[in-house]
Amino acid sequence: MSTSAGCCQGCLHYVFDYETTKTLVIPSIRLGCAFRFTQLLVVLYVVGYVCVVQKAYQETDSVISSVTTKVKGFALTNASDMDPRFWDVADYIIPPKGDHSFFVMTNMVVTPEQTQTRCPELPSPSTICADDCDCTEGHSDPRGNGIQSGLCVNYSSTVQTCQVFSWCPLEIDTELPQHALLAAAENFTVLIKNSVTYPKFNFHRRNILPHINSSYLKRCQFSRATDPDCPIFRLKDIVSEAGEEFQDMAVKGGILGIIIDWSCDLDWWAGKCYPKYSFHRLDNKNPVNNVAPGYNFRFAKYYKAPDGEETRTLIKAYGIRFDVIVFGTAGKFSIVPTIVNLGAALSFLSLVPVVSDWIMLTCTKKKDLYGKLKATYLSEDAEAEAMSMGTSYGTQ
Amino acid sequence: MSTSAGCCQGCLHYVFDYETTKTLVIPSIRLGCAFRFTQLLVVLYVVGYVCVVQKAYQETDSVISSVTTKVKGFALTNASDMDPRFWDVADYIIPPKGDHSFFVMTNMVVTPEQTQTRCPELPSPSTICADDCDCTEGHSDPRGNGIQSGLCVNYSSTVQTCQVFSWCPLEIDTELPQHALLAAAENFTVLIKNSVTYPKFNFHRRNILPHINSSYLKRCQFSRATDPDCPIFRLKDIVSEAGEEFQDMAVKGGILGIIIDWSCDLDWWAGKCYPKYSFHRLDNKNPVNNVAPGYNFRFAKYYKAPDGEETRTLIKAYGIRFDVIVFGTAGKFSIVPTIVNLGAALSFLSLVPVVSDWIMLTCTKKKDLYGKLKATYLSEDAEAEAMSMGTSYGTQ
Amino acid sequence: MSTSAGCCQGCLHYVFDYETTKTLVIPSIRLGCAFRFTQLLVVLYVVGYVCVVQKAYQETDSVISSVTTKVKGFALTNASDMDPRFWDVADYIIPPKGDHSFFVMTNMVVTPEQTQTRCPELPSPSTICADDCDCTEGHSDPRGNGIQSGLCVNYSSTVQTCQVFSWCPLEIDTELPQHALLAAAENFTVLIKNSVTYPKFNFHRRNILPHINSSYLKRCQFSRATDPDCPIFRLKDIVSEAGEEFQDMAVKGGILGIIIDWSCDLDWWAGKCYPKYSFHRLDNKNPVNNVAPGYNFRFAKYYKAPDGEETRTLIKAYGIRFDVIVFGTAGKFSIVPTIVNLGAALSFLSLVPVVSDWIMLTCTKKKDLYGKLKATYLSEDAEAEAMSMGTSYGTQ
């Protein structure tokens, strides 16, 4: 017999012969039950935890979302130092584009009629002066409000401060109204239109659900108890749901997250996939270490006087920024995660005999007997004997 | 022999002895082939589906992206009730900052010369009045346009409505031009600059591909057929690709998604990673249940009259908001997912003998013989006999 | 015995009997060590790589983030062709809302006093004309600046160009100051407030860390070496860390990414989870194929002259857009990925005996002996003999 023929025969052996393990059957109810119970535990774990609880058989995809917001409402301010003024959407929504983040101005410090000129600095330890020597021409203090002209001028009848070149008169933002000017903003409403896509599953959905009709949308207002599907929210309700008081928040402003959770199980009929709204304040309300608490920014409206000089009205706007945050993961049955997770879990089944054997060989009364019957110990003299035996079972 | 010595010997047994299963070789072509065929199926599944189709050997990362957009174009409006007016980018792009979401105004309702004063409400069932008794001073209807002064005044020669304090004259937004004022916007172009990063793989790429030169960029225009790599898009082409008619969409506005898919397989030479553009309308075109269809928002330009009185021009801007949505997942070979997925798939190989044995013991003619030879059944009287036997094979 | 009784007995066999594989113990140090060593390798891989390096036992979640930015600083411009002008936040931050992307204007081309009228086009090969025949009434060149009136007029004393209807005078944006007008912007500072949430783990954190107090925040400035936790950044430092020169970038503008990495291991005490800042230029600095390098956009301030005519100041704003990009993945121990990854890795343990058996049957001196003892070959004549044997071990 040549080597190649032997090799070929060896290969054929793998194809034409079937090799199965020899086993020892032990008629023991205890061992049998222990073995099956352990197997059952593994199977229960696979079915119960991996499949039902964790849905590990699903492929997942992240949401792609588009948001439009539209605020409605108007208010009248009647502060003692100002004329009555009417405010509508174009006045208090800055910037006007209604996308996923919109700002509603609720309070403000207005500094009208500013021009590029010289005026005395606001009094502070570093700006109060006795005469011109205390002020340096061209000096600009990062915490100041302009470039010093080098003169020391009267700020009031009692205080002298360095003169600066700046937009004058300077803004005095310490006089923030303690009751929000646009307190009526709590009754404004916002319509949030949100359409989402799960590109992997080619799934599209809007937050205006199919069963909602036009007449309902015209009069409804979101309420977790009675109208959980209405996409129109009263600002006060949003703030309340986040555990805050609107009038408190309106004074210094803040950031409020409108969180839309689109987590869906697309294995069931798709109608079950609907948005879940929740509301959280995103900035820190009363931290010990807060600089610039609340939320505000400055913007200006520019005018040109008839003589061509530019003037501006500076507005330090305090208000609530609403951030619509859309998140979600959709899951759908897919063969790969199923195989991976089932396979990984089933591989534990192959550890069960190891455990059962260990129990059999250590914890049973007849462990010595079982050990002897299960394992054949190969000793030196057995080798010689075996060498003279034939290879097949039949020739014994 | 002490207990500790026995324990030690037991441990050494695990290190110095090798325990292998005893097997029974059955020379059956049928069984052999069935066994190997089942194994082949598992291996084919691993290679074919998990590796080739699902790329389960890859680690993945999500894209981080930065987008700049710049619109070009101008138009002339010549409506019967307005002077001819020239519109350029600074006029119709609101807000001007060219980031991932830009708005092109295509239609509008302009209400010039509004001032804070009193004027009659727009006629509606709740605002039409016969005399002052029908109006309540200070009352503000959420669906109205201002705060009632308590007077009933002439709206027109035939209709009387309650007078309100508001920005007057009130906007009449029912007179929306049925042919978009800025219809010429369809020929505007937008240059989209997008750079992406996959931080896990330290991979950076721009949508202006390396082989594109400056002179090409100056004259090119995206076309799926002839110029698929040009980052300059004609607005009409974008809308057409999304299956919409620009002139229809321009009247009431809408939201259009420019979706850039950067899904890449980084295992192959990185040059294969390029952006794929697609376009979808994101809002609902003609739904049965739509409130405020299309897309619009109000903004105002503020002026100061020579006498110091503030006037504004209110613009209800209708137009198309283009949202550039960048998404993508890059995959690259990594050892952990490879091991996990291969391991899980291979663990099915250990289920193959279970299947084969079941076939052998139920479906073959010689199943009784195979069963007897494979399994040794331990009976009561065998135990006594075995107790007297030595442990090693050779002493039998 | 009826069939159903036999079937029932067969089922009970699985519950009440325990079937274990028969094994052959070979007292070989070499084989034993090889077997245990291979097992050790698999276990080491599981513990070392999968668990320690890749943290494959963790469930992960992506970050949800909210960002507020507030720029501080002022500057004086003193260009030769303009009056000295003072710039503060309301002037150079466009749009004013401080969200995750803010733009600081550093250079500009200002075209004041534009009105809707007629003026000569800027000279270019396609606009220079000799007489009215070279100009077409109503023609608008996409690369031009307005709609031609059909007249050929003097642009300067030497050049004649076609007259256009547009916002006149036209912007001449080739005269961009080569030294940025607002060069002082390098000393502006920005306070970045960032709060993050990992919704799956109900974990909230701010970038203003708990140990930072208010007085520190008032004077600190981010420095990687000395103040790595301070959330106040000097613009020049940001640009320097990104490897760019502020004054170069300020001329034509650019986009700079402030990347906050919140990758956290939540298994350890949560205090270890803190933001890591990095800075990268996101647009391409000096590419060979760049159109419109840098970053700029046009916006206008609208005025109304006392006679009611609208004028505007067009500003082509060059500057740096700072994009705050928050990303991160938090990991926390979870049973499912642990099981999946451990299971997958352990399934390799079941491949170890296959390898060891192959070594035993091919590489050892006594391979023939081992082969004979391990595998029982079933031959034709053995079958008949076996058929006459009893099923139980004891009846042999």
Side-chain angles (χ1 to χ4, degrees):
Chain A
M1 211 198 300
S2 70
T3 318
S4 70
C7 175
C8 186
Q9 208 179 37
C11 287
L12 287 175
H13 157 72
Y14 285 113
V15 180
F16 293 127
D17 295 349
Y18 175 60
E19 196 166 357
T20 181
T21 55
K22 292 180 89 168
T23 57
L24 174 72
V25 179
I26 296 170
S28 158
I29 293 183
R30 276 198 191 167
L31 278 176
C33 288
F35 178 64
R36 294 296 158 192
F37 182 71
T38 321
Q39 277 189 328
L40 191 72
L41 278 186
V42 172
V43 170
L44 275 186
Y45 157 74
V46 171
V47 174
Y49 197 75
V50 175
C51 291
V52 178
V53 179
Q54 293 283 342
K55 299 213 173 89
Y57 56 85
Q58 286 187 332
E59 189 183 30
T60 58
D61 192 14
S62 291
V63 75
I64 285 180
S65 139
S66 156
V67 174
T68 313
T69 54
K70 190 160 199 177
V71 178
K72 274 204 174 164
F74 52 82
L76 189 77
T77 57
N78 214 341
S80 53
D81 56 341
M82 286 164 75
D83 286 333
R85 194 186 150 97
F86 176 83
W87 298 83
D88 68 3
V89 171
D91 296 322
Y92 61 69
I93 299 288
I94 308 140
K97 196 174 91 170
D99 58 6
H100 66 97
S101 172
F102 61 97
F103 170 80
V104 177
M105 183 162 67
T106 53
N107 207 357
M108 73 203 84
V109 174
V110 181
T111 315
E113 302 288 344
Q114 284 192 326
T115 55
Q116 298 258 352
T117 178
R118 290 185 172 76
C119 52
E121 255 285 15
L122 302 180
S124 83
S126 65
T127 58
I128 289 175
C129 57
D131 56 39
D132 294 356
C133 305
D134 296 340
C135 304
T136 321
E137 194 183 338
H139 174 72
S140 67
D141 179 7
R143 259 166 254 164
N145 294 292
I147 290 111
Q148 295 190 359
S149 65
L151 300 178
C152 187
V153 294
N154 286 333
Y155 176 77
S156 65
S157 56
T158 54
V159 182
Q160 277 195 316
T161 58
C162 291
Q163 193 191 48
V164 287
F165 178 74
S166 183
W167 282 104
C168 289
L170 297 177
E171 177 193 78
I172 306 167
D173 64 356
T174 50
E175 292 175 7
L176 179 68
Q178 283 312 301
H179 183 73
L181 277 174
L182 278 163
E186 66 182 24
N187 290 320
F188 295 171
T189 57
V190 59
L191 163 65
I192 297 177
K193 290 200 271 184
N194 175 215
S195 57
V196 295
T197 302
Y198 286 107
K200 213 188 268 178
F201 306 131
N202 197 25
F203 179 85
H204 307 272
R205 187 57 63 97
R206 298 164 71 216
N207 71 332
I208 301 178
L209 300 175
H211 67 264
I212 293 181
N213 60 38
S214 192
S215 63
Y216 173 71
L217 272 179
K218 257 170 203 146
R219 55 171 181 79
C220 79
Q221 205 168 77
F222 177 84
S223 153
R224 200 166 290 283
T226 60
D227 294 79
D229 292 339
C230 178
I232 298 168
F233 302 84
R234 190 166 157 247
L235 297 194
K236 189 180 184 178
D237 294 344
I238 294 178
V239 177
S240 297
E241 282 245 8
E244 301 287 329
E245 182 59 51
F246 189 92
Q247 293 305 335
D248 288 354
M249 202 168 170
V251 176
K252 292 214 157 192
I255 301 176
L256 219 137
I258 299 173
I259 291 150
I260 308 183
D261 180 1
W262 277 97
S263 294
C264 289
D265 184 347
L266 299 183
D267 284 335
W268 309 104
W269 54 297
K272 278 222 172 174
C273 183
Y274 55 87
K276 285 165 279 298
Y277 302 99
S278 61
F279 310 95
H280 292 290
R281 184 162 186 172
L282 295 180
D283 63 326
N284 224 336
K285 196 182 169 184
N286 285 315
V288 284
N289 59 2
N290 214 346
V291 279
Y295 181 68
N296 64 71
F297 57 82
R298 285 182 182 85
F299 70 98
K301 293 190 235 174
Y302 297 88
Y303 306 106
K304 208 162 242 178
D307 59 357
E309 194 194 27
E310 194 177 22
T311 69
R312 73 173 194 185
T313 297
L314 178 67
I315 296 160
K316 185 172 184 182
Y318 292 79
I320 305 175
R321 194 178 88 193
F322 294 87
D323 286 359
V324 181
I325 297 170
V326 180
F327 80 102
T329 308
K332 202 171 191 174
F333 174 81
S334 171
I335 196 70
V336 165
T338 308
I339 293 292
V340 168
N341 287 284
L342 273 187
L346 284 177
S347 73
F348 279 84
L349 275 182
S350 69
L351 298 179
V352 172
V354 178
V355 174
S356 302
D357 279 358
W358 180 80
I359 293 174
M360 181 182 82
L361 296 175
T362 55
C363 305
T364 55
K365 270 187 288 183
K366 298 175 183 171
K367 61 190 171 194
D368 289 333
L369 170 68
Y370 294 155
K372 274 171 211 164
L373 291 176
K374 177 179 164 63
T376 311
Y377 198 81
L378 179 70
S379 67
E380 296 277 313
D381 35 316
E383 292 182 19
E385 193 182 335
M387 288 305 274
S388 62
M389 292 197 313
T391 49
S392 82
Y393 186 85
T395 58
Q396 198 178 7
Chain B
M1 209 201 300
S2 71
T3 318
S4 69
C7 175
C8 187
Q9 209 180 33
C11 286
L12 287 175
H13 158 70
Y14 285 112
V15 180
F16 293 128
D17 294 348
Y18 175 60
E19 195 166 355
T20 181
T21 55
K22 292 179 90 168
T23 57
L24 173 72
V25 179
I26 295 172
S28 157
I29 293 183
R30 276 198 192 165
L31 278 175
C33 286
F35 179 63
R36 293 298 159 192
F37 181 71
T38 321
Q39 278 189 327
L40 191 73
L41 277 186
V42 172
V43 170
L44 274 185
Y45 157 74
V46 171
V47 173
Y49 197 74
V50 175
C51 292
V52 177
V53 179
Q54 293 282 343
K55 299 214 173 87
Y57 55 86
Q58 287 188 331
E59 189 180 32
T60 57
D61 193 14
S62 290
V63 74
I64 284 181
S65 139
S66 156
V67 174
T68 314
T69 54
K70 191 161 198 176
V71 178
K72 273 201 175 167
F74 52 82
L76 188 78
T77 56
N78 214 340
S80 53
D81 56 341
M82 287 164 75
D83 287 333
R85 193 187 152 97
F86 177 83
W87 297 83
D88 68 2
V89 171
D91 297 321
Y92 61 70
I93 299 288
I94 308 140
K97 194 174 94 170
D99 58 7
H100 65 96
S101 171
F102 62 98
F103 171 80
V104 177
M105 184 162 65
T106 52
N107 207 357
M108 74 202 83
V109 174
V110 181
T111 314
E113 302 288 344
Q114 284 192 327
T115 55
Q116 299 258 352
T117 178
R118 288 183 173 79
C119 52
E121 256 284 15
L122 302 180
S124 82
S126 63
T127 57
I128 290 175
C129 56
D131 57 40
D132 294 355
C133 306
D134 296 340
C135 305
T136 322
E137 194 183 340
H139 174 73
S140 66
D141 180 6
R143 261 166 250 163
N145 296 291
I147 289 110
Q148 294 190 1
S149 66
L151 300 180
C152 186
V153 293
N154 287 333
Y155 176 78
S156 63
S157 55
T158 54
V159 182
Q160 277 195 318
T161 58
C162 292
Q163 193 192 48
V164 288
F165 178 74
S166 181
W167 283 103
C168 288
L170 297 178
E171 179 193 77
I172 305 168
D173 63 357
T174 50
E175 292 176 7
L176 178 69
Q178 284 312 301
H179 183 73
L181 277 173
L182 278 162
E186 65 181 27
N187 290 320
F188 295 171
T189 58
V190 58
L191 163 66
I192 297 177
K193 290 200 272 183
N194 175 217
S195 58
V196 295
T197 302
Y198 286 106
K200 212 186 266 177
F201 306 131
N202 197 26
F203 178 85
H204 306 274
R205 187 57 63 98
R206 298 164 72 216
N207 70 333
I208 302 177
L209 300 175
H211 67 264
I212 293 182
N213 60 40
S214 192
S215 63
Y216 174 71
L217 271 179
K218 257 169 203 146
R219 57 174 179 78
C220 78
Q221 204 170 77
F222 177 84
S223 152
R224 199 166 289 284
T226 59
D227 294 77
D229 293 339
C230 178
I232 297 169
F233 303 83
R234 190 165 157 248
L235 298 194
K236 189 181 184 176
D237 293 346
I238 295 178
V239 177
S240 295
E241 282 245 7
E244 302 287 329
E245 183 58 52
F246 189 91
Q247 293 305 336
D248 287 354
M249 204 168 167
V251 176
K252 292 213 155 191
I255 302 175
L256 219 137
I258 300 173
I259 291 150
I260 308 183
D261 180 1
W262 278 96
S263 294
C264 290
D265 184 347
L266 300 182
D267 284 335
W268 308 104
W269 55 296
K272 279 223 173 173
C273 185
Y274 56 88
K276 284 165 280 301
Y277 302 99
S278 61
F279 309 95
H280 292 290
R281 184 163 185 170
L282 296 179
D283 62 327
N284 224 337
K285 196 184 169 184
N286 284 316
V288 284
N289 60 1
N290 214 345
V291 278
Y295 182 68
N296 63 73
F297 57 82
R298 286 183 181 82
F299 71 98
K301 293 191 236 174
Y302 296 89
Y303 307 105
K304 209 162 241 178
D307 59 356
E309 194 194 25
E310 193 176 21
T311 68
R312 72 172 193 185
T313 297
L314 177 68
I315 296 160
K316 184 171 183 182
Y318 292 79
I320 305 176
R321 193 178 90 193
F322 293 88
D323 285 0
V324 182
I325 297 170
V326 181
F327 80 103
T329 309
K332 204 172 189 175
F333 173 82
S334 170
I335 195 70
V336 164
T338 308
I339 293 291
V340 167
N341 287 285
L342 273 188
L346 285 176
S347 73
F348 279 85
L349 275 182
S350 68
L351 298 180
V352 173
V354 176
V355 173
S356 302
D357 280 357
W358 181 80
I359 291 174
M360 181 181 82
L361 296 175
T362 54
C363 304
T364 55
K365 271 187 286 183
K366 297 177 183 170
K367 60 191 175 195
D368 290 333
L369 170 68
Y370 295 156
K372 275 173 210 163
L373 291 176
K374 176 179 164 64
T376 310
Y377 197 81
L378 180 71
S379 67
E380 294 276 313
D381 36 314
E383 292 180 20
E385 194 183 336
M387 290 304 275
S388 62
M389 294 196 310
T391 49
S392 80
Y393 186 84
T395 60
Q396 199 175 10
Chain C
M1 208 197 304
S2 71
T3 319
S4 70
C7 174
C8 186
Q9 208 182 33
C11 287
L12 288 174
H13 157 71
Y14 285 112
V15 181
F16 293 128
D17 295 349
Y18 175 60
E19 194 165 358
T20 181
T21 55
K22 294 182 86 167
T23 57
L24 173 73
V25 179
I26 296 171
S28 158
I29 293 184
R30 277 197 192 168
L31 278 175
C33 287
F35 179 64
R36 293 297 159 192
F37 181 71
T38 320
Q39 278 190 328
L40 191 72
L41 277 185
V42 172
V43 169
L44 275 185
Y45 157 74
V46 172
V47 173
Y49 196 76
V50 176
C51 292
V52 177
V53 178
Q54 293 281 344
K55 300 213 171 88
Y57 56 86
Q58 287 188 332
E59 189 182 31
T60 57
D61 193 15
S62 291
V63 74
I64 285 180
S65 140
S66 155
V67 173
T68 314
T69 55
K70 191 161 198 176
V71 178
K72 273 201 175 167
F74 53 82
L76 189 78
T77 56
N78 215 339
S80 53
D81 56 342
M82 286 165 75
D83 286 334
R85 193 186 151 98
F86 176 83
W87 297 81
D88 68 2
V89 170
D91 297 321
Y92 61 70
I93 299 289
I94 307 140
K97 195 174 93 169
D99 59 6
H100 65 98
S101 171
F102 62 98
F103 171 81
V104 177
M105 183 162 66
T106 54
N107 206 358
M108 75 204 82
V109 174
V110 181
T111 314
E113 303 288 344
Q114 283 192 327
T115 54
Q116 299 257 352
T117 179
R118 290 184 172 77
C119 53
E121 255 285 15
L122 302 180
S124 82
S126 63
T127 58
I128 289 176
C129 57
D131 56 38
D132 293 355
C133 306
D134 296 341
C135 305
T136 321
E137 193 183 340
H139 175 72
S140 65
D141 179 7
R143 260 164 253 164
N145 295 291
I147 288 111
Q148 294 190 2
S149 65
L151 300 180
C152 186
V153 295
N154 286 334
Y155 176 77
S156 63
S157 56
T158 54
V159 181
Q160 277 195 316
T161 58
C162 292
Q163 193 192 48
V164 288
F165 178 74
S166 182
W167 283 104
C168 291
L170 297 178
E171 180 193 76
I172 305 167
D173 64 355
T174 50
E175 291 175 6
L176 180 69
Q178 283 312 299
H179 183 72
L181 277 173
L182 278 162
E186 66 180 26
N187 290 320
F188 296 170
T189 58
V190 58
L191 163 66
I192 297 177
K193 290 201 271 184
N194 176 216
S195 57
V196 294
T197 301
Y198 285 107
K200 213 186 268 178
F201 306 131
N202 197 24
F203 179 84
H204 306 273
R205 187 58 64 95
R206 297 165 72 216
N207 71 331
I208 301 177
L209 300 175
H211 68 265
I212 292 182
N213 61 38
S214 192
S215 64
Y216 173 71
L217 271 180
K218 257 171 202 145
R219 56 173 179 78
C220 79
Q221 204 169 79
F222 178 83
S223 152
R224 200 166 288 285
T226 60
D227 295 78
D229 292 338
C230 178
I232 298 168
F233 303 84
R234 190 166 156 247
L235 297 194
K236 189 181 184 177
D237 294 346
I238 294 178
V239 178
S240 296
E241 282 245 8
E244 301 288 329
E245 182 59 52
F246 189 92
Q247 293 305 334
D248 287 355
M249 203 166 168
V251 176
K252 292 214 157 191
I255 301 175
L256 218 136
I258 300 173
I259 292 150
I260 308 184
D261 181 0
W262 277 98
S263 294
C264 288
D265 184 347
L266 300 183
D267 284 334
W268 309 104
W269 55 296
K272 278 221 171 174
C273 185
Y274 55 87
K276 284 164 279 300
Y277 302 99
S278 62
F279 310 94
H280 292 291
R281 183 161 187 173
L282 296 180
D283 62 326
N284 225 336
K285 197 183 168 184
N286 284 315
V288 283
N289 60 3
N290 214 345
V291 280
Y295 182 68
N296 63 73
F297 57 82
R298 284 182 181 85
F299 70 98
K301 293 192 237 173
Y302 296 88
Y303 307 105
K304 208 162 243 178
D307 59 357
E309 194 194 26
E310 194 175 21
T311 68
R312 73 173 193 185
T313 297
L314 178 67
I315 296 161
K316 184 172 184 182
Y318 292 79
I320 304 175
R321 194 178 89 193
F322 293 88
D323 285 358
V324 181
I325 297 169
V326 180
F327 79 103
T329 309
K332 202 171 191 174
F333 173 80
S334 171
I335 196 71
V336 164
T338 308
I339 292 291
V340 168
N341 287 285
L342 272 188
L346 285 177
S347 73
F348 279 84
L349 276 182
S350 68
L351 298 179
V352 173
V354 177
V355 174
S356 303
D357 280 358
W358 181 79
I359 293 174
M360 181 182 82
L361 297 175
T362 53
C363 305
T364 55
K365 269 188 289 184
K366 296 177 184 171
K367 59 188 175 197
D368 288 334
L369 170 68
Y370 295 156
K372 274 172 211 163
L373 291 176
K374 176 181 165 63
T376 310
Y377 196 81
L378 179 70
S379 67
E380 295 275 313
D381 37 312
E383 293 180 18
E385 194 181 335
M387 287 305 274
S388 63
M389 293 196 313
T391 47
S392 80
Y393 187 84
T395 60
Q396 199 175 9

